[in-house]
């Protein structure tokens, strides 16, 4: 009897346990993707993600066709689409690799319940994470909220299983069931605004493998330093590939392990350990999302519910457009618009500017990232924004406020990154490139920046800092008051 492999976010042949098990089960294998945006909860895919998904599905279908197979495309709801395919093909089993977002967990649970009731075998695997969320626990059996002990606990566990082998063959059915065309899903925005993404990325399993190889060969050993330098190609740029499952974290873990003689974790180079730890942050984010499913919209630290955020359409638009007058912030926001990606250091700077200098609600920043990032990922994005806002797990204390000028001078000392994305600053001397407003009138290029339309800062960082600290003091006082009243009553 045929086996349906329900592809979720795992568009790869290698280390794909659901596909490998289906191939071994005997009978034909029916690869299926169901487009069900309504099952993403409040977070349906943004434009950049849809751009990526369109290409990822197309490339995956080509790879399957090289093996005599193909990807069947259907529209959701998932349960209906799978039930229909079971009925059409008399499939006896449905296999898939699990997703870990709350809405996806619910969708998978309802598929399982209904199919099992009808006597269809359902099997699911973990192909997205190094460890199962329930397997990494504090001593008292709860979830970790701080990264360092979380990662220590992960490293104390057995190594994640080695990647499953790529199936050699995928037996095809005698006749293929009907499939939609990829263009029927209307994923690809198809406008000129995506030219930069086209140039920057190569979606698909082959693109992911190439990105990993490049990184391991050219950048791994310098990673501990270069990962904070946005003008260098010092990071792996694997995030969209990881999100869409074109490569899995176990392939990275064991790929690093193969680079040392012997397999002992402790013998990894410093670069490899630091890199693996960053992949650990992804792991942490996903475990947190499983344990705290409301955090994409609500702060993990409840006292931040009453934080006095501002509303300002003008400031929001200036930030989105990369016209805040702070060069490093604007460069990051323009890199995002131009390529669908932004360097991690710069993500931290623009997010801090958003929540602390502009005092805008972190959820609005997260929504813009969601719409524009090719690697938009509910777990990582939530962790990143709550961390920046000071209201999440392992968050930087709210009173620690990034100074965007000093951050720029420290991490982009020659101004190369800023000049690349903010051409108005091309002629501004190095010493003023992160603070063009300070340049003496006669400094070559400083006035040119203004002439070329670069805006003055939309907010004074010093004043904004004081305003942010006052807002923090207000919620602290509000949280202390009821506690003090409770104390008195005792
Ligand atoms: P590398 O440095 O090469 O790291 C390798 C992998 O480790 C990454 O691909 C990623 O999967 C993981 N990783 C690295 N840093 C982090 C981190 N801080 N948190 C979680 N995982 C990490 N990452 C996303 O994948 N999707 C998002 O939507 C996202 N939103 C973010 C929002 C904010 C405000 C911040 C501060 C960070 C966000 N990140 C997000 C995390 C991080 O910025 C990106 O994962 C990283 O920049 C991707 O580039 P890379 O693949 O070259 O990373």
């Amino acid at each position: 009897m045929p086996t349906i492999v329900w592809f979720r976010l795992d568009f790869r042949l290698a280390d794909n346990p659901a596909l490998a098990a289906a191939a071994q089960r005997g009978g034909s294998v029916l690869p299926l993707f169901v487009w069900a945006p309504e099952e993403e909860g409040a977070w349906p895919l943004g434009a950049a993600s849809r751009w990526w998904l369109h290409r990822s599905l197309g490339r995956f279908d080509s790879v399957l066709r090289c093996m005599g197979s193909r990807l069947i495309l259907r529209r959701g709801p998932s349960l209906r689409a799978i039930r229909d395919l079971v009925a059409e093909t008399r499939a006896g089993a449905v296999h898939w690799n699990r997703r870990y977002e709350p809405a996806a967990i619910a969708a998978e649970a309802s598929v399982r319940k209904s199919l099992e009731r009808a006597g269809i075998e359902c099997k699911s695997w973990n192909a997205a994470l190094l460890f199962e969320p329930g397997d990494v626990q504090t001593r008292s059996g709860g979830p970790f909220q701080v990264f360092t002990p979380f990662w220590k606990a992960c490293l104390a566990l057995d190594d994640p299983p080695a990647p499953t082998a790529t199936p050699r063959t995928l037996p095809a059915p005698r006749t293929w069931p009907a499939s939609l065309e990829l263009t029927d899903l209307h994923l690809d925005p198809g406008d000129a605004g995506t030219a930069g993404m086209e140039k920057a990325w190569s979606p698909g399993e082959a693109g992911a493998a190439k990105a990993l190889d490049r990184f391991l060969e050219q950048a791994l050993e310098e990673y501990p330093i270069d990962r904070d330098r946005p003008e260098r190609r010092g990071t792996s740029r694997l995030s969209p590939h990881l999100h869409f499952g074109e490569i899995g974290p176990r392939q990275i873990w064991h790929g690093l392990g193969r680079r040392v003689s012997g397999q002992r974790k402790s013998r990894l180079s410093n670069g490899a350990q630091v890199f693996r730890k960053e992949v650990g942050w992804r792991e942490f984010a996903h475990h947190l999302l499983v344990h705290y499913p409301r955090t994409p919209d609500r702060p993990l630290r409840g006292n931040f519910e009453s934080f006095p955020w501002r509303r300002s359409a003008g400031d929001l638009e200036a930030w989105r457009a990369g016209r805040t007058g702070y060069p490093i912030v604007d460069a990051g926001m323009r890199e995002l618009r131009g390529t669908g990606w932004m360097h991690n250091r710069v993500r931290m700077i623009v997010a801090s500017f958003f929540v602390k200098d502009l005092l805008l609600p972190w959820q609005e920043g997260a929504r813009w990232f969601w719409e524009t990032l090719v690697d938009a990922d509910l777990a990582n994005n939530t962790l990143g924004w709550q961390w920046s806002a000071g209201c999440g797990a392992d968050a930087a204390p709210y009173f620690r406020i990034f100074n965007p000028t000093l951050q720029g001078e420290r991490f982009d000392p020659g101004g190369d990154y800023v000049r690349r994305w903010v051409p108005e600053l091309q002629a501004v001397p190095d010493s003023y490139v992160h603070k063009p407003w300070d340049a003496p009138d006669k400094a070559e290029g400083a006035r040119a920046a203004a002439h070329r339309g670069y805006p003055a800062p939309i907010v004074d960082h010093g004043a904004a800092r004081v305003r942010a600290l006052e807002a923090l003091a207000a919620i602290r006082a509000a949280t202390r008051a009821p506690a003090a009243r409770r104390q008195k009553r005792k």
Side-chain angles (χ1 to χ4, degrees), residues 215 223 227 235-240 242 275 278-279 281-282 285 341-344 347-348 351 369-370 373 375-378 380-381 383-385 387-388:
F215 174 73
Y223 181 75
R227 75 198 175 103
T235 68
S236 69
R237 302 193 183 211
L238 279 168
S239 49
L242 275 163
F275 179 61
E278 288 307 303
V279 179
W281 275 96
R282 172 183 182 275
W341 185 87
M342 192 195 301
H343 188 277
N344 180 59
R347 290 188 205 202
M348 294 196 288
F369 269 30
W370 186 256
L373 277 171
D375 66 21
D377 179 282
L378 198 58
N380 290 354
N381 201 39
L383 176 71
W385 277 96
W387 183 91
S388 302

CSV table of all heavy atoms in Angstrom, one decimal, residues 215 223 227 235-240 242 275 278-279 281-282 285 341-344 347-348 351 369-370 373 375-378 380-381 383-385 387-388, ligand 1:
chain,number,residue,atom,x,y,z
A,215,PHE,N,30.9,28.1,4.3
A,215,PHE,CA,31.1,28.6,5.6
A,215,PHE,C,32.2,27.8,6.3
A,215,PHE,O,33.1,28.3,6.9
A,215,PHE,CB,29.8,28.6,6.4
A,215,PHE,CG,30.0,28.9,7.9
A,215,PHE,CD1,30.3,30.3,8.2
A,215,PHE,CD2,30.0,28.0,8.9
A,215,PHE,CE1,30.5,30.6,9.5
A,215,PHE,CE2,30.2,28.3,10.2
A,215,PHE,CZ,30.4,29.6,10.5
A,223,TYR,N,34.9,32.8,12.8
A,223,TYR,CA,33.5,33.1,13.2
A,223,TYR,C,33.4,33.8,14.6
A,223,TYR,O,32.6,34.7,14.7
A,223,TYR,CB,32.7,31.8,13.2
A,223,TYR,CG,31.3,31.9,13.6
A,223,TYR,CD1,30.4,32.4,12.7
A,223,TYR,CD2,30.8,31.5,14.8
A,223,TYR,CE1,29.0,32.6,13.0
A,223,TYR,CE2,29.5,31.6,15.2
A,223,TYR,CZ,28.6,32.2,14.2
A,223,TYR,OH,27.2,32.3,14.6
A,227,ARG,N,31.6,37.1,13.3
A,227,ARG,CA,30.1,37.0,13.3
A,227,ARG,C,29.5,38.3,13.8
A,227,ARG,O,28.3,38.5,13.7
A,227,ARG,CB,29.7,35.9,14.3
A,227,ARG,CG,29.8,36.1,15.7
A,227,ARG,CD,29.8,34.9,16.5
A,227,ARG,NE,30.1,35.2,17.9
A,227,ARG,CZ,29.2,35.2,18.9
A,227,ARG,NH1,27.9,35.0,18.6
A,227,ARG,NH2,29.5,35.4,20.1
A,235,THR,N,29.3,34.9,8.7
A,235,THR,CA,28.4,34.0,9.2
A,235,THR,C,27.9,33.0,8.1
A,235,THR,O,28.2,33.2,7.0
A,235,THR,CB,27.1,34.7,9.9
A,235,THR,OG1,26.4,35.3,8.8
A,235,THR,CG2,27.6,35.7,10.9
A,236,SER,N,27.1,32.0,8.5
A,236,SER,CA,26.8,30.9,7.5
A,236,SER,C,25.7,31.3,6.5
A,236,SER,O,25.6,30.7,5.5
A,236,SER,CB,26.4,29.7,8.3
A,236,SER,OG,25.2,29.9,8.9
A,237,ARG,N,24.9,32.2,6.9
A,237,ARG,CA,23.7,32.5,6.1
A,237,ARG,C,22.8,31.3,5.8
A,237,ARG,O,22.2,31.1,4.8
A,237,ARG,CB,24.0,33.2,4.8
A,237,ARG,CG,24.8,34.5,5.1
A,237,ARG,CD,24.9,35.4,4.0
A,237,ARG,NE,25.7,36.5,4.4
A,237,ARG,CZ,25.7,37.8,4.0
A,237,ARG,NH1,24.8,38.1,3.1
A,237,ARG,NH2,26.4,38.7,4.5
A,238,LEU,N,22.8,30.4,6.8
A,238,LEU,CA,22.0,29.2,6.7
A,238,LEU,C,20.6,29.4,7.2
A,238,LEU,O,19.7,28.5,7.1
A,238,LEU,CB,22.7,28.1,7.5
A,238,LEU,CG,23.8,27.4,6.8
A,238,LEU,CD1,24.6,26.5,7.8
A,238,LEU,CD2,23.3,26.5,5.6
A,239,SER,N,20.3,30.5,7.8
A,239,SER,CA,19.0,30.6,8.5
A,239,SER,C,17.8,30.3,7.7
A,239,SER,O,16.9,29.6,8.1
A,239,SER,CB,18.8,32.0,9.2
A,239,SER,OG,19.2,33.0,8.3
A,240,PRO,N,17.6,30.8,6.4
A,240,PRO,CA,16.4,30.5,5.7
A,240,PRO,C,16.4,29.0,5.3
A,240,PRO,O,15.4,28.3,5.3
A,240,PRO,CB,16.5,31.4,4.4
A,240,PRO,CG,17.9,31.9,4.4
A,240,PRO,CD,18.5,31.8,5.7
A,242,LEU,N,17.7,26.6,7.1
A,242,LEU,CA,17.3,25.9,8.3
A,242,LEU,C,15.8,26.0,8.5
A,242,LEU,O,15.1,25.0,8.8
A,242,LEU,CB,18.0,26.4,9.5
A,242,LEU,CG,19.4,25.8,9.7
A,242,LEU,CD1,20.2,26.6,10.7
A,242,LEU,CD2,19.3,24.4,10.3
A,275,PHE,N,30.1,28.4,16.9
A,275,PHE,CA,29.1,28.2,15.8
A,275,PHE,C,28.0,27.3,16.3
A,275,PHE,O,26.8,27.6,16.2
A,275,PHE,CB,29.7,27.8,14.5
A,275,PHE,CG,28.7,27.6,13.4
A,275,PHE,CD1,28.0,28.6,12.9
A,275,PHE,CD2,28.5,26.3,12.8
A,275,PHE,CE1,27.0,28.5,11.9
A,275,PHE,CE2,27.6,26.1,11.8
A,275,PHE,CZ,26.9,27.2,11.4
A,278,GLU,N,25.6,28.9,18.6
A,278,GLU,CA,24.6,29.7,17.9
A,278,GLU,C,23.4,28.9,17.4
A,278,GLU,O,22.3,29.2,17.5
A,278,GLU,CB,25.2,30.5,16.8
A,278,GLU,CG,26.1,31.6,17.2
A,278,GLU,CD,25.5,32.6,18.2
A,278,GLU,OE1,24.4,33.2,17.9
A,278,GLU,OE2,26.0,32.7,19.3
A,279,VAL,N,23.8,27.7,16.9
A,279,VAL,CA,22.7,26.8,16.5
A,279,VAL,C,21.9,26.4,17.7
A,279,VAL,O,20.7,26.1,17.7
A,279,VAL,CB,23.3,25.5,15.7
A,279,VAL,CG1,22.2,24.6,15.3
A,279,VAL,CG2,24.1,26.0,14.5
A,281,TRP,N,21.2,28.4,20.1
A,281,TRP,CA,20.2,29.5,20.3
A,281,TRP,C,18.9,29.2,19.6
A,281,TRP,O,17.8,29.4,20.0
A,281,TRP,CB,20.7,30.8,20.0
A,281,TRP,CG,21.5,31.5,21.1
A,281,TRP,CD1,22.9,31.4,21.2
A,281,TRP,CD2,21.0,32.2,22.2
A,281,TRP,NE1,23.3,32.1,22.3
A,281,TRP,CE2,22.1,32.6,23.0
A,281,TRP,CE3,19.8,32.6,22.6
A,281,TRP,CZ2,22.0,33.3,24.1
A,281,TRP,CZ3,19.6,33.3,23.8
A,281,TRP,CH2,20.7,33.7,24.5
A,282,ARG,N,19.1,28.6,18.4
A,282,ARG,CA,17.9,28.2,17.6
A,282,ARG,C,17.1,27.2,18.3
A,282,ARG,O,15.9,27.2,18.4
A,282,ARG,CB,18.4,27.8,16.2
A,282,ARG,CG,17.2,27.2,15.4
A,282,ARG,CD,17.8,26.6,14.0
A,282,ARG,NE,16.7,26.1,13.2
A,282,ARG,CZ,16.2,24.8,13.3
A,282,ARG,NH1,16.8,24.0,14.2
A,282,ARG,NH2,15.3,24.4,12.6
A,285,ALA,N,15.3,28.6,21.3
A,285,ALA,CA,14.1,29.4,20.8
A,285,ALA,C,13.0,28.4,20.6
A,285,ALA,O,11.8,28.7,21.0
A,285,ALA,CB,14.4,30.2,19.6
A,341,TRP,N,17.2,39.7,4.4
A,341,TRP,CA,18.0,39.2,5.5
A,341,TRP,C,18.7,40.4,6.1
A,341,TRP,O,18.9,41.4,5.5
A,341,TRP,CB,19.0,38.2,4.9
A,341,TRP,CG,19.8,37.4,5.9
A,341,TRP,CD1,19.5,36.3,6.5
A,341,TRP,CD2,21.2,37.8,6.3
A,341,TRP,NE1,20.6,35.9,7.3
A,341,TRP,CE2,21.6,36.8,7.2
A,341,TRP,CE3,22.1,38.8,6.0
A,341,TRP,CZ2,22.9,36.8,7.8
A,341,TRP,CZ3,23.3,38.9,6.7
A,341,TRP,CH2,23.7,37.8,7.5
A,342,MET,N,19.1,40.2,7.4
A,342,MET,CA,19.9,41.2,8.0
A,342,MET,C,20.8,40.5,9.0
A,342,MET,O,20.5,39.5,9.6
A,342,MET,CB,19.0,42.1,8.9
A,342,MET,CG,19.7,43.4,9.4
A,342,MET,SD,18.7,44.3,10.6
A,342,MET,CE,17.2,44.6,9.8
A,343,HIS,N,22.0,41.1,9.1
A,343,HIS,CA,23.0,40.5,10.0
A,343,HIS,C,22.6,40.5,11.4
A,343,HIS,O,21.9,41.4,11.9
A,343,HIS,CB,24.3,41.3,9.8
A,343,HIS,CG,25.5,40.7,10.5
A,343,HIS,ND1,25.7,40.9,11.8
A,343,HIS,CD2,26.5,40.0,10.0
A,343,HIS,CE1,26.8,40.3,12.2
A,343,HIS,NE2,27.3,39.7,11.1
A,344,ASN,N,22.9,39.4,12.2
A,344,ASN,CA,22.4,39.3,13.6
A,344,ASN,C,22.8,40.5,14.4
A,344,ASN,O,21.9,41.0,15.2
A,344,ASN,CB,23.0,38.0,14.2
A,344,ASN,CG,22.4,37.9,15.6
A,344,ASN,OD1,21.2,37.8,15.8
A,344,ASN,ND2,23.4,37.9,16.6
A,347,ARG,N,20.5,43.2,13.5
A,347,ARG,CA,19.1,42.9,14.0
A,347,ARG,C,19.0,43.4,15.5
A,347,ARG,O,18.0,44.0,15.9
A,347,ARG,CB,18.8,41.4,13.9
A,347,ARG,CG,18.6,40.9,12.5
A,347,ARG,CD,18.1,39.5,12.5
A,347,ARG,NE,18.5,38.9,11.2
A,347,ARG,CZ,17.9,37.8,10.7
A,347,ARG,NH1,16.9,37.2,11.2
A,347,ARG,NH2,18.4,37.3,9.5
A,348,MET,N,20.0,43.1,16.3
A,348,MET,CA,19.9,43.5,17.7
A,348,MET,C,19.9,45.0,17.8
A,348,MET,O,19.2,45.6,18.6
A,348,MET,CB,21.1,42.9,18.5
A,348,MET,CG,21.1,41.4,18.5
A,348,MET,SD,22.2,40.7,19.8
A,348,MET,CE,23.8,41.0,19.1
A,351,ALA,N,16.5,46.4,16.5
A,351,ALA,CA,15.4,46.0,17.4
A,351,ALA,C,15.5,46.9,18.7
A,351,ALA,O,14.5,47.4,19.2
A,351,ALA,CB,15.4,44.6,17.7
A,369,PHE,N,9.5,42.3,10.6
A,369,PHE,CA,10.5,41.2,10.3
A,369,PHE,C,9.8,40.0,9.7
A,369,PHE,O,10.3,39.4,8.7
A,369,PHE,CB,11.2,40.8,11.6
A,369,PHE,CG,12.5,41.6,11.9
A,369,PHE,CD1,12.6,42.9,11.5
A,369,PHE,CD2,13.5,41.0,12.6
A,369,PHE,CE1,13.8,43.6,11.8
A,369,PHE,CE2,14.7,41.7,12.9
A,369,PHE,CZ,14.8,43.0,12.5
A,370,TRP,N,8.7,39.7,10.2
A,370,TRP,CA,8.0,38.5,9.7
A,370,TRP,C,7.6,38.6,8.3
A,370,TRP,O,7.7,37.7,7.5
A,370,TRP,CB,6.7,38.3,10.6
A,370,TRP,CG,6.0,37.0,10.2
A,370,TRP,CD1,4.8,36.9,9.5
A,370,TRP,CD2,6.4,35.7,10.6
A,370,TRP,NE1,4.5,35.6,9.4
A,370,TRP,CE2,5.4,34.8,10.1
A,370,TRP,CE3,7.4,35.2,11.4
A,370,TRP,CZ2,5.5,33.5,10.3
A,370,TRP,CZ3,7.5,33.8,11.6
A,370,TRP,CH2,6.5,33.0,11.0
A,373,LEU,N,11.6,39.1,6.2
A,373,LEU,CA,12.7,38.2,6.3
A,373,LEU,C,12.5,37.0,5.5
A,373,LEU,O,11.5,36.3,5.6
A,373,LEU,CB,13.0,37.8,7.8
A,373,LEU,CG,13.7,38.7,8.7
A,373,LEU,CD1,13.6,38.2,10.2
A,373,LEU,CD2,15.2,38.9,8.3
A,375,ASP,N,14.2,34.4,6.3
A,375,ASP,CA,14.3,33.4,7.4
A,375,ASP,C,13.3,33.5,8.5
A,375,ASP,O,13.5,33.0,9.6
A,375,ASP,CB,15.7,33.4,7.9
A,375,ASP,CG,16.1,34.6,8.7
A,375,ASP,OD1,15.2,35.4,9.1
A,375,ASP,OD2,17.3,34.9,8.8
A,376,ALA,N,12.2,34.3,8.2
A,376,ALA,CA,11.2,34.6,9.3
A,376,ALA,C,10.8,33.2,9.9
A,376,ALA,O,10.3,32.3,9.3
A,376,ALA,CB,10.0,35.2,8.7
A,377,ASP,N,11.0,33.2,11.2
A,377,ASP,CA,10.9,31.9,12.0
A,377,ASP,C,10.2,32.3,13.3
A,377,ASP,O,10.7,33.1,14.0
A,377,ASP,CB,12.2,31.3,12.2
A,377,ASP,CG,12.2,30.0,12.9
A,377,ASP,OD1,12.0,30.1,14.2
A,377,ASP,OD2,12.3,29.0,12.3
A,378,LEU,N,9.1,31.7,13.6
A,378,LEU,CA,8.3,32.2,14.7
A,378,LEU,C,9.1,32.0,16.0
A,378,LEU,O,9.0,32.9,16.9
A,378,LEU,CB,7.0,31.3,14.8
A,378,LEU,CG,5.9,32.0,15.7
A,378,LEU,CD1,5.5,33.4,15.2
A,378,LEU,CD2,4.7,31.1,15.7
A,380,ASN,N,12.6,31.8,16.5
A,380,ASN,CA,13.7,32.7,16.5
A,380,ASN,C,13.4,34.2,16.6
A,380,ASN,O,14.0,35.0,17.3
A,380,ASN,CB,14.6,32.4,15.3
A,380,ASN,CG,15.3,31.1,15.4
A,380,ASN,OD1,15.2,30.4,16.4
A,380,ASN,ND2,16.0,30.7,14.3
A,381,ASN,N,12.3,34.5,15.8
A,381,ASN,CA,11.9,35.9,15.8
A,381,ASN,C,11.4,36.4,17.1
A,381,ASN,O,11.7,37.4,17.6
A,381,ASN,CB,10.9,36.1,14.7
A,381,ASN,CG,10.8,37.6,14.2
A,381,ASN,OD1,11.8,38.3,14.1
A,381,ASN,ND2,9.6,38.0,14.0
A,383,LEU,N,12.0,35.0,20.1
A,383,LEU,CA,13.1,35.1,21.1
A,383,LEU,C,13.9,36.4,20.8
A,383,LEU,O,14.2,37.1,21.8
A,383,LEU,CB,14.1,33.9,20.9
A,383,LEU,CG,15.3,33.9,21.8
A,383,LEU,CD1,14.9,33.7,23.3
A,383,LEU,CD2,16.3,32.9,21.4
A,384,GLY,N,14.2,36.7,19.6
A,384,GLY,CA,15.0,37.9,19.3
A,384,GLY,C,14.4,39.2,19.7
A,384,GLY,O,15.0,40.0,20.3
A,385,TRP,N,13.1,39.3,19.4
A,385,TRP,CA,12.4,40.5,19.8
A,385,TRP,C,12.1,40.6,21.3
A,385,TRP,O,12.3,41.7,21.9
A,385,TRP,CB,11.1,40.6,19.0
A,385,TRP,CG,11.4,41.2,17.6
A,385,TRP,CD1,11.6,40.5,16.5
A,385,TRP,CD2,11.6,42.6,17.3
A,385,TRP,NE1,11.9,41.4,15.5
A,385,TRP,CE2,11.9,42.7,15.9
A,385,TRP,CE3,11.5,43.8,18.0
A,385,TRP,CZ2,12.2,43.9,15.3
A,385,TRP,CZ3,11.8,45.0,17.4
A,385,TRP,CH2,12.1,45.0,16.1
A,387,TRP,N,13.9,39.3,23.6
A,387,TRP,CA,15.2,39.5,24.2
A,387,TRP,C,15.6,41.0,24.0
A,387,TRP,O,16.0,41.6,25.0
A,387,TRP,CB,16.3,38.7,23.4
A,387,TRP,CG,17.7,38.8,24.0
A,387,TRP,CD1,18.2,38.0,24.9
A,387,TRP,CD2,18.7,39.7,23.6
A,387,TRP,NE1,19.5,38.4,25.2
A,387,TRP,CE2,19.8,39.4,24.4
A,387,TRP,CE3,18.7,40.8,22.7
A,387,TRP,CZ2,21.0,40.2,24.3
A,387,TRP,CZ3,19.9,41.5,22.6
A,387,TRP,CH2,21.0,41.2,23.3
A,388,SER,N,15.4,41.6,22.9
A,388,SER,CA,15.7,43.0,22.6
A,388,SER,C,14.8,43.9,23.5
A,388,SER,O,15.3,44.9,24.0
A,388,SER,CB,15.5,43.3,21.2
A,388,SER,OG,16.3,42.5,20.4
B,1,LIG,P1,24.9,32.1,11.9
B,1,LIG,O1,25.6,33.1,12.8
B,1,LIG,O2,25.7,31.5,10.9
B,1,LIG,O3,24.2,31.0,12.9
B,1,LIG,C1,23.9,29.7,12.4
B,1,LIG,C2,22.4,29.4,12.7
B,1,LIG,O4,22.2,29.5,14.1
B,1,LIG,C3,21.5,30.4,12.1
B,1,LIG,O5,21.2,30.2,10.8
B,1,LIG,C4,20.3,30.3,13.1
B,1,LIG,O6,19.4,29.2,12.7
B,1,LIG,C5,20.9,30.0,14.4
B,1,LIG,N1,21.1,31.3,15.2
B,1,LIG,C6,22.1,32.1,15.2
B,1,LIG,N2,21.9,33.1,16.0
B,1,LIG,C7,20.7,32.9,16.5
B,1,LIG,C8,19.9,33.6,17.5
B,1,LIG,N3,20.3,34.7,18.1
B,1,LIG,N4,18.7,33.1,17.8
B,1,LIG,C9,18.2,32.0,17.2
B,1,LIG,N5,18.9,31.3,16.3
B,1,LIG,C10,20.1,31.7,16.0
B,1,LIG,N6,16.7,34.1,13.1
B,1,LIG,C11,15.9,33.4,12.3
B,1,LIG,O7,16.3,32.4,11.8
B,1,LIG,N7,14.6,33.9,12.0
B,1,LIG,C12,14.1,35.0,12.5
B,1,LIG,O8,13.0,35.4,12.2
B,1,LIG,C13,15.0,35.8,13.4
B,1,LIG,N8,14.5,37.0,13.9
B,1,LIG,C14,15.4,37.7,14.7
B,1,LIG,C15,14.9,38.9,15.3
B,1,LIG,C16,15.7,39.6,16.1
B,1,LIG,C17,15.2,40.9,16.7
B,1,LIG,C18,17.0,39.1,16.4
B,1,LIG,C19,17.9,39.9,17.3
B,1,LIG,C20,17.5,37.9,15.9
B,1,LIG,C21,16.7,37.2,15.1
B,1,LIG,N9,17.1,36.0,14.5
B,1,LIG,C22,16.3,35.3,13.7
B,1,LIG,C23,18.4,35.3,14.9
B,1,LIG,C24,19.6,35.6,14.1
B,1,LIG,O9,19.7,37.0,13.8
B,1,LIG,C25,19.6,34.9,12.7
B,1,LIG,O10,19.3,33.5,13.0
B,1,LIG,C26,21.0,35.0,12.1
B,1,LIG,O11,21.3,36.3,11.8
B,1,LIG,C27,21.0,34.2,10.8
B,1,LIG,O12,22.2,34.4,10.1
B,1,LIG,P2,23.2,33.2,9.9
B,1,LIG,O13,22.4,32.0,9.3
B,1,LIG,O14,24.3,33.7,9.0
B,1,LIG,O15,23.6,32.9,11.3
